[in-house]
Amino acid sequence: MFAPETASPHVAQNAGVSRLMLDTLYALIPGIVIYVVYFGWGVVINIVLAITAALTAEAVMLRLRKRPLRPFLLDGSAILTAVLLALALPPLSPWWIPVLGCLLAIVLVKQLYGGLGYNPFNPAMAGYAILLISFPIEMTRWTAPNTLIEQGLGLFESLQFSLYARLPDVVTLDALTAATALDSLKTQVGLGEPVAAVRATSPIFGAAAGTGMELVSLAFLGGGLWLLYRRVIAWHIPAAMLVSLAVMAAIFWGWSPDRYASPLFHVAGGAAILGAFFIATDPVTTSTTVRGRLLFGAGCGLLTYVIRTWGGYPDGVAFAVLLMNMAVPVIDHYTRPRTYGHDTGRGS
Amino acid sequence: MNRPLHDFPGGLRLPGHKHISTSQAILRAVLPKRLYLPLHQHIGEPSETLVAPGDHVLKGQMIAKATDYVGAPVHASSSGTVVDVTLLPVPHASGLDAPTIVIETDGEDRWVDRTPITDYAQLDLSDLRNRIRCAGLVGLGGAAFPSFIKMNPGPHHRVRTLVLNGAECEPYITCDDMLMREQPQAILRGAQIMMHALQADECLVGIEDDKPQAIAAMSAAAAAFGAIEVVPVPTRYPAGGERQLIQVLTGKEVPSDGLPPDIGVVCQNVATAAALQRAIDAGEPLISRVVTVSGGGVRTPRNLEVLIGTPMHELIEQCGGYHNAAQRLVMGGPMMGFSLESDSVPVIKATNCVLSLAADELDVGHATLPCIRCGRCAEVCPASLLPQQLYWHAQAKEFDTVQSYNLFDCIECGLCSYVCPSHIPLVQYYRFAKTEIWAQERNKRKADIARQRTEFRAFRLARDKQERAARHAAKRAALKDAGAGGTRQAAIEAARERAEQKRMEQTAELNAARDAKIAEVKHAIAAQTERQEAAPTSKTVDAVTSSSNRETPDNQ
Ligand code: SF4
Ligand code: SF4
């Protein structure tokens, strides 16, 4: 009369994979809105193109690998990868940048390794890194915040640029783009100017970091805290990553404030917040132990600082995460917790 | 009093669903027409029946006796006539039928002669334990481990602390809660007898702090008992796991390969203490217990005082019957209980809860996805294991690796499965791996014995051959000397002596080697048997057994 043998536990928490992915997507919304406000419709176009490409790639690969489509398309992981990758791209990109990035991320980095749960590298960041190395010009052509341009692009014009690389007659590409705050600071300081002077002279710098971008970061911070509150993510990785980044920055800033930017600049600038709460916390590619996550986060923060300060790329989050992905097996191995009742120094 | 509490790793506050069954007092269940008493209601070997169909039995009469040390007798829960001794379905995870004594009750509920003990302190400790044993007392927390064994930690252990487990951490279950509210005196008196049996200095009663009434009742009653302290512990599953509760109350961990007495602690359930009090003060064996009938699938959840052997459907009927939404019947809690195929099985000594779960309470309809390595399982594991790694190696059947991740320290609390966002039935994989490993060890043990026998045979043959060779050599030497004239006789003697001596030396050497070999074989077999027997029980929540106990049988 009853369903036969069904093993305990008979109850479960209601947080499925798709629930987690959806919550993460919701948490990104405020940041995305502010991003669009400051940097234009290109952001939305990138996101839409990326999601379409990612879902298509996922479906084709699942079919080829003879896996069921429904549960995996609905798990939301491909969409999240797409959105994170789109957020890492310059808002004014040709259409094939997000599309190619997502194809690489889903096919090469995720599905060829076995799909959900099996990929050692963060797909969004790996896709981004390949794009950055292959197409440095398109990938570093950053849009200036709307407050600094005379005439921004509307939705239709942005779409035209994305699809046909066409701009309205009166607008030049140069007028729309500007180096990012991290980038300009690096270049100028490299030329021997003190940090304070650089920040004072260019309108690209806001109160904490880059104009506009710092507000986007703030919104991502809000979303990230909400994720913590909802227990979608644990505090270990974001805290470790931001603290280690801030500590590194503080050490060098304290030593020579003329040559090194402040901790606040580093934490609020670039993709640090997005990375700490949304990227480095990707469950699949981080350590599975609690102590391992602290190490993983700390490593991400440290490497981000190192790459930003001395590396060849303006922002280091993506490479930092990828490098730490590589270290995960080692971290997991050395951070196994002590099992209950083992090595207690038995006294009887 | 504010005792400093300790923490255990992992754990999770679960939705309790406890209030639905605590609004009404414990009710004595109706005497059933027939009682079904399985011979095997405890850990250890099945008991042996003492009655045959047609026999008339009285309430409390022993109807089956224990056959080994880790066993418990069974008593008639009411008076009546034995109508059958046969194979019937029993509530066991295996779902197999088992020998059961069926009694048709006569409605008189007439007791056998009871012999209460007026002053337990006068009793020899081993007599006291024997009393407990003869009363068929087993742990009532769910593991059904014979209680008298826990009362006998052996000469090598000094038990300082008796931990009384009133945590009752599983959702829905409230039988201990209600018992503590209604009969704190009986429980504490039982605890006092246990302390005496163990010669323990103190008793700590751990109760989860979501049971304020039970804590109040127990604390009030405890004032009259010295050295018994009621300690509220944070409500966090599985705080009622034996090892977790000990950790919370004492800060000490039971060694992985050991038992609570190794750290000077013995842990007993509160209901066991109450039953023990009845066994000693009233001379009544274990024939009834409090059972929680709960879940969204039953109309009026509550607690019943039930005769062991009562079919479960009678309890459900007395609780208003099934709700339409009833989907699954579970014995025990939703985290660790097992599902039953039929409600005709009887309540046994281990039945703390009969749970009828409705569809919306169950974990059904979730597709299992691949592990996303989110680490939630590791965060909640109270044993600090890496459930995800265990799962990975268990499903790959890498049993050596899975053991190196301490599979056998898993208490099967179910939390990892509970939190897994991919809805992987992790615990099922662990059970599978454990069963496989036990099977392999059994086979290996058999093979080892066979191999050792073969080796010993080869060794014996070689020894015989050497002995023969030595004898021949002596003979040849004697013959050779025989042809040598004058000193011949002396030479023969000398040669014989030499040969004899050599032979003796060789034999002695061989004998020593053989004895060593035999000892080794015996030791290996003993060690394996011990491990095998200890393994299935030693890690179960609320179960305790000790190999040292087994070697010092008490009043067989
Ligand atoms: S909770 Fe489930 S999905 Fe997460 S790491 Fe553990 S097994 Fe994998
Ligand atoms: S069932 Fe085992 S592995 Fe899972 S949480 Fe409980 S003790 Fe840890």
Side-chain angles (χ1 to χ4, degrees):
Chain A
M1 73 180 281
F2 294 102
E5 182 53 30
T6 12
S8 64
H10 305 276
V11 288
Q13 217 167 37
N14 216 1
V17 174
S18 51
R19 176 84 254 149
L20 300 180
M21 300 287 174
L22 270 182
D23 274 357
T24 314
L25 284 168
Y26 292 152
L28 284 167
I29 290 175
I32 294 175
V33 169
I34 298 188
Y35 202 9
V36 176
V37 167
Y38 273 90
F39 295 89
W41 288 102
V43 177
V44 179
I45 295 170
N46 280 347
I47 291 177
V48 172
L49 286 172
I51 292 179
T52 315
L55 285 179
T56 314
E58 182 102 330
V60 170
M61 287 306 288
L62 287 170
R63 187 44 63 73
L64 287 177
R65 294 179 55 226
K66 303 196 170 53
R67 295 294 147 93
L69 286 188
R70 244 182 87 84
F72 287 105
L73 284 183
L74 289 184
D75 69 28
S77 62
I79 302 180
L80 185 59
T81 297
V83 173
L84 290 175
L85 177 58
L87 290 177
L89 301 174
L92 272 188
S93 293
W95 64 270
W96 48 267
I97 285 276
V99 170
L100 185 64
C102 279
L103 295 185
L104 289 169
I106 298 293
V107 177
L108 205 64
V109 188
K110 184 178 177 189
Q111 289 290 341
L112 287 186
Y113 278 100
L116 179 71
Y118 292 90
N119 47 300
F121 294 103
N122 185 311
M125 288 305 101
Y128 169 82
I130 301 173
L131 288 175
L132 183 59
I133 294 164
S134 317
F135 310 102
I137 301 180
E138 286 83 355
M139 288 296 288
T140 50
R141 194 168 56 202
W142 282 87
T143 317
N146 284 338
T147 48
L148 303 186
I149 11 181
E150 284 173 19
Q151 190 190 353
L153 299 184
L155 172 58
F156 181 68
E157 291 154 331
S158 303
L159 202 56
Q160 272 201 326
F161 179 82
S162 170
L163 297 180
Y164 312 112
R166 205 184 300 146
L167 284 173
D169 294 341
V170 287
V171 187
T172 63
L173 198 53
D174 278 351
L176 291 174
T177 57
T180 64
L182 279 172
D183 208 5
S184 353
L185 191 75
K186 192 171 187 172
T187 326
Q188 301 290 318
V189 168
L191 295 174
E193 287 196 49
V195 170
V198 179
R199 290 185 61 169
T201 49
S202 169
I204 197 83
F205 296 98
T211 306
M213 217 45 203
E214 59 194 14
L215 291 179
V216 176
S217 280
L218 193 63
F220 283 143
L221 176 66
L225 294 177
W226 181 73
L227 286 184
L228 277 181
Y229 167 73
R230 299 262 301 165
R231 292 170 170 272
V232 172
I233 56 174
W235 59 270
H236 309 86
I237 293 176
M241 176 164 170
L242 294 178
V243 166
S244 88
L245 177 63
V247 166
M248 282 297 284
I251 292 172
F252 286 92
W253 179 62
W255 177 48
S256 171
D258 276 352
R259 282 165 50 209
Y260 299 97
S262 69
L264 180 62
F265 182 85
H266 274 284
V267 169
I273 298 284
L274 182 68
F277 287 93
F278 295 88
I279 296 170
T281 50
D282 164 39
V284 178
T285 53
T286 66
S287 169
T288 52
T289 69
V290 175
R291 273 190 302 150
R293 289 172 173 212
L294 287 172
L295 274 182
F296 181 89
C300 287
L302 187 126
L303 288 173
T304 301
Y305 187 80
V306 169
I307 297 169
R308 276 180 179 182
T309 314
W310 298 288
Y313 291 98
D315 201 349
V317 173
F319 289 105
V321 169
L322 291 173
L323 285 170
M324 289 312 291
N325 286 165
M326 280 190 234
V328 160
V330 181
I331 297 180
D332 276 355
H333 183 80
Y334 286 104
T335 54
R336 269 177 61 176
R338 182 184 64 81
T339 305
Y340 180 103
H342 284 255
D343 314 315
T344 47
R346 178 175 188 166
S348 65
Chain B
M1 214 190 299
N2 274 333
R3 166 173 288 273
L5 289 182
H6 305 266
D7 204 10
F8 68 91
L12 195 65
R13 179 140 196 174
L14 301 175
H17 302 287
K18 299 217 181 218
H19 59 278
I20 56 174
S21 54
T22 53
S23 55
Q24 299 174 72
I26 301 172
L27 178 75
R28 186 177 280 267
V30 179
L31 179 73
K33 290 232 155 22
R34 282 186 170 209
L35 290 163
Y36 300 85
L37 294 152
L39 294 178
H40 197 193
Q41 302 188 29
H42 46 264
I43 280 172
E45 291 298 305
S47 304
E48 205 177 277
T49 179
L50 300 172
V51 291
D55 290 358
H56 189 263
V57 293
L58 291 174
K59 181 175 185 149
Q61 179 182 333
M62 192 186 285
I63 52 173
K65 68 170 203 283
T67 51
D68 72 342
Y69 184 61
V70 193
V74 179
H75 300 80
S77 324
S78 186
S79 56
T81 313
V82 175
V83 288
D84 212 350
V85 181
T86 180
L87 288 178
L88 284 171
V90 294
H92 188 267
S94 70
L96 296 175
D97 292 359
T100 303
I101 298 173
V102 185
I103 296 173
E104 199 157 276
T105 55
D106 55 15
E108 287 172 26
D109 218 18
R110 199 146 46 83
W111 272 99
V112 73
D113 275 345
R114 283 164 284 180
T115 42
I117 293 172
T118 38
D119 189 0
Y120 66 83
Q122 296 295 315
L123 223 56
D124 189 55
L125 286 188
S126 84
D127 287 344
L128 184 60
R129 285 193 291 267
N130 206 26
R131 266 297 187 129
I132 299 170
R133 177 170 210 214
C134 291
L137 213 64
V138 299
L140 296 182
F145 188 81
S147 306
F148 78 97
I149 299 180
K150 277 193 181 182
M151 295 290 98
N152 183 22
H156 306 300
H157 294 105
R158 160 95 176 86
V159 171
R160 244 183 57 74
T161 310
L162 170 68
V163 166
L164 213 54
N165 191 344
E168 203 167 51
C169 58
E170 273 249 27
Y172 293 96
I173 308 182
T174 55
C175 54
D176 290 347
D177 185 3
M178 296 309 286
L179 195 70
M180 288 189 287
R181 292 188 202 185
E182 297 183 15
Q183 302 173 27
Q185 290 289 345
I187 295 170
L188 294 174
R189 166 97 178 145
Q192 206 176 30
I193 302 173
M194 285 175 176
M195 283 174 72
H196 172 73
L198 290 164
Q199 299 286 295
D201 306 334
E202 57 168 1
C203 169
L204 304 176
V205 192
I207 308 175
E208 275 194 346
D209 56 15
D210 64 343
K211 305 176 193 40
Q213 283 137 299
I215 293 171
M218 291 285 285
S219 304
F225 294 83
I228 300 186
E229 188 185 335
V230 175
V231 190
V233 299
T235 304
R236 197 164 104 240
Y237 183 83
E242 179 174 87
R243 285 166 188 245
Q244 281 64 42
L245 188 62
I246 290 174
Q247 190 173 16
V248 169
L249 291 175
T250 69
K252 290 190 253 182
E253 289 179 29
V254 182
S256 163
D257 54 352
L259 295 160
D262 293 340
I263 53 167
V265 179
V266 160
C267 183
Q268 292 274 19
N269 177 272
V270 286
T272 315
L276 187 136
Q277 181 270 336
R278 266 207 239 177
I280 300 299
D281 286 348
E284 295 180 6
L286 179 62
I287 52 158
S288 72
R289 64 160 300 149
V290 183
V291 179
T292 304
V293 183
S294 190
V298 55
R299 281 192 196 281
T300 45
R302 70 177 306 162
N303 282 280
L304 298 173
E305 162 104 36
V306 183
L307 294 180
I308 309 287
T310 308
M312 289 185 187
H313 62 80
E314 302 212 5
L315 309 189
I316 302 274
E317 275 154 34
Q318 286 169 53
C319 292
Y322 289 112
H323 199 273
N324 296 336
Q327 279 271 320
R328 190 181 295 176
L329 192 68
V330 172
M331 179 172 122
M335 296 300 286
M336 296 185 71
F338 53 89
S339 58
L340 300 168
E341 279 185 48
S342 150
D343 57 8
S344 66
V345 294
V347 165
I348 58 173
K349 293 174 183 177
T351 312
N352 51 0
C353 182
V354 177
L355 205 55
S356 170
L357 290 168
D360 59 351
E361 294 168 297
L362 283 169
D363 171 29
V364 284
H366 295 295
T368 297
L369 287 175
C371 165
I372 58 165
R373 296 173 39 91
C374 66
R376 278 153 196 261
C377 46
E379 269 168 48
V380 294
C381 178
S384 298
L385 298 168
L386 294 174
Q388 173 254 346
Q389 301 285 345
L390 288 175
Y391 155 68
W392 186 257
H393 297 294
Q395 58 132 29
K397 304 200 178 161
E398 294 162 359
F399 296 128
D400 287 340
T401 325
V402 92
Q403 273 175 282
S404 77
Y405 278 94
N406 302 329
L407 172 69
F408 284 97
D409 288 287
C410 165
I411 58 168
E412 298 186 16
C413 70
L415 266 186
C416 49
S417 301
Y418 179 83
V419 297
C420 177
S422 290
H423 296 289
I424 304 171
L426 296 163
V427 185
Q428 259 172 287
Y429 283 94
Y430 309 152
R431 289 199 194 104
F432 159 75
K434 286 181 186 173
T435 318
E436 287 289 301
I437 292 168
W438 284 323
Q440 277 180 8
E441 293 225 332
R442 258 197 305 280
N443 290 341
K444 189 168 157 292
R445 184 169 60 149
K446 276 190 207 136
D448 276 353
I449 293 171
R451 184 172 51 76
Q452 279 156 349
R453 280 206 191 106
T454 324
E455 273 176 16
F456 183 62
R457 180 160 179 274
F459 163 79
R460 188 168 47 81
L461 291 177
R463 181 193 60 193
D464 291 354
K465 200 165 152 199
Q466 265 183 1
E467 282 179 2
R468 263 202 309 280
R471 273 201 301 277
H472 284 160
K475 225 181 242 167
R476 263 201 308 280
L479 285 175
K480 208 161 120 200
D481 285 349
T487 53
R488 204 178 62 190
Q489 208 56 39
I492 292 174
E493 275 311 304
R496 183 175 291 149
E497 251 165 50
R498 270 200 310 278
E500 180 73 3
Q501 189 161 356
K502 193 167 174 205
R503 194 177 65 84
M504 270 165 57
E505 272 169 20
Q506 274 177 348
T507 324
E509 217 171 82
L510 287 167
N511 282 343
R514 184 195 55 190
D515 290 346
K517 191 88 196 172
I518 291 174
E520 193 188 302
V521 173
K522 272 192 181 153
H523 186 77
I525 294 172
Q528 272 174 13
T529 318
E530 205 167 273
R531 235 183 298 130
Q532 204 117 50
E533 279 166 14
T537 60
S538 64
K539 295 295 186 299
T540 321
V541 172
D542 201 42
V544 107
T545 175
S546 156
S547 43
S548 62
N549 279 330
R550 218 170 277 139
E551 281 149 23
T552 50
D554 183 36
N555 308 307
Q556 295 272 14

